[in-house]
Amino acid sequence: DAEGTVAAKLMKGGVVVAEDSAEGVAVADGEVAHLSMAVAGAALWSPSSPGLYALEVTVKTPFGSDVEKLSVGFRSAEFRPDGFYLNGEKTFLKGVCLHHDAGALGAAWNEGAWIRRLVKLKEMGCNAIRSSHNPPSVELLDLCDRLGFLVIDEFTDTWTIPKRCNGYATLFDEWAEKDLTDLILRDRNHPSVILWSIGNEVGEQGYPDKYHIAYSLSAICHSLDPTRPTTSGNDKLWASEQDWRNATDVYGFNYKPHAYEAFRDANPLKPFYGSETASTISTRGFYVFPVTDDKSGGQADFQVSSYDLYAPKWASCPDYEWRYEDAVPECAGEFVWTGFDYIGEPTPY
């Protein structure tokens, strides 16, 4: 342990716009140094104008020095009962869910593939991404900062009730607090991140005696980052009518747009959104005649007609979701399943 100096410089376009330093700081694991900088006329970060600043932090001790550089941005993000507000302006979340893999290219990071994906999503009007159902890579968050995407940073798909025999449930009790802590400490400086998602379709929704897990994970998020609310993706309708709805700050519905109105009326102060929607299925360039309105129709020869009219039994066509979003404007937005194809779940075959 030693005493040292902590200095920070905030730069825009290579020009220092603010700086501060503190001397006699205890330099040891877990110690905190408080610096304060005022930035006049700060450029606000948003999907339409993702302006970033460079922050350089230097720690000096008699034994040497260390320098950390990262990108940061200024923005306000707030979920209110009537929707989501970015920099004080109501903003509808036009989001997609994205797996960590790049489809057939695999899970290893591929810069070109992900730039291509995000650019195409941007062109079609997408402004948000949900990292379903694992923490995103740092590289993806860096791109979201640069290109302008709002991000739901998701922790895991499983808690103590297993979905697979060798899944995260075997590690949860020992590792959940450590892993969630690492996730938040790693990602909390990204302006793109607006929500911490503590889980997705976890089995604990159906067991009130396990709701304390949700409260505990939310408390970890709040303690490490009091600036962002928590959420989760929920597929059990009854959970929205129980104390489960109070364990997170913003309620996420998976494939339940027909529940929006009743939830709003019963919880007028609770923000909510479609955390997973649509899941329309099709085979590119394949068409089945006659066209049918049955959402499970249009299937032949292990293909699905490409009219965007068909979906699994738990899902729906986009128009069904949009009908309820239009009827309930308090819904903060939606995240379509999925933005791009991924490895796994070859529904319906």
Side-chain angles (χ1 to χ4, degrees), residues 93-260:
L93 298 171
K94 302 175 183 178
V96 298
C97 299
L98 283 178
H99 263 226
H100 70 285
D101 64 86
L105 296 179
W109 177 252
N110 186 312
E111 184 93 359
W114 279 99
I115 289 176
R116 173 183 177 273
R117 285 179 158 205
L118 295 182
V119 168
K120 283 187 172 294
L121 289 172
K122 194 85 170 181
E123 289 174 348
M124 64 179 271
C126 175
N127 66 2
I129 289 169
R130 176 183 174 217
S131 69
S132 49
H133 302 293
N134 298 280
S137 67
V138 173
E139 293 86 354
L140 178 57
L141 289 182
D142 287 340
L143 284 181
C144 290
D145 289 343
R146 286 163 45 197
L147 298 178
F149 285 90
L150 302 161
V151 175
I152 297 180
D153 201 325
E154 193 152 274
F155 173 46
T156 183
D157 191 44
T158 307
W159 294 351
T160 61
I161 298 177
K163 297 180 180 180
R164 295 290 186 270
C165 61
N166 62 343
Y168 193 62
T170 63
L171 306 170
F172 185 87
D173 289 338
E174 179 181 0
W175 284 97
E177 182 177 356
K178 303 171 188 175
D179 288 342
L180 182 56
T181 296
D182 287 346
L183 166 68
I184 295 171
L185 294 180
R186 188 197 70 169
D187 295 348
R188 63 185 179 183
N189 287 318
H190 289 275
S192 56
V193 177
I194 59 170
L195 274 173
W196 301 116
S197 174
I198 60 174
N200 172 71
E201 297 185 359
V202 294
E204 285 78 359
Q205 291 172 84
Y207 297 88
D209 62 322
K210 293 183 180 292
Y211 286 4
H212 68 277
I213 298 176
Y215 277 97
S216 175
L217 294 176
S218 277
I220 293 172
C221 296
H222 293 150
S223 67
L224 296 170
D225 178 18
T227 70
R228 292 181 179 89
T230 60
T231 189
S232 62
N234 309 295
D235 63 328
K236 305 303 183 187
L237 188 56
W238 67 76
S240 67
E241 302 167 352
Q242 299 180 1
D243 186 48
W244 179 265
R245 71 186 185 279
N246 299 317
T248 54
D249 305 305
V250 183
Y251 199 84
F253 282 98
N254 284 10
Y255 309 108
K256 299 293 185 293
H258 46 278
Y260 294 167

Side-chain angles (χ1 to χ4, degrees), residues 280-284 304-308 310:
T280 306
I281 52 178
S282 66
T283 303
R284 185 179 300 158
V304 180
S305 186
S306 190
Y307 280 117
D308 292 338
Y310 311 108

Side-chain angles (χ1 to χ4, degrees), residues 281 286 288 295-305 310-311 348-349:
I281 52 178
F286 183 86
V288 175
K295 75 175 186 178
S296 63
Q299 301 176 18
D301 299 326
F302 297 100
Q303 309 293 332
V304 180
S305 186
Y310 311 108
Y349 301 112

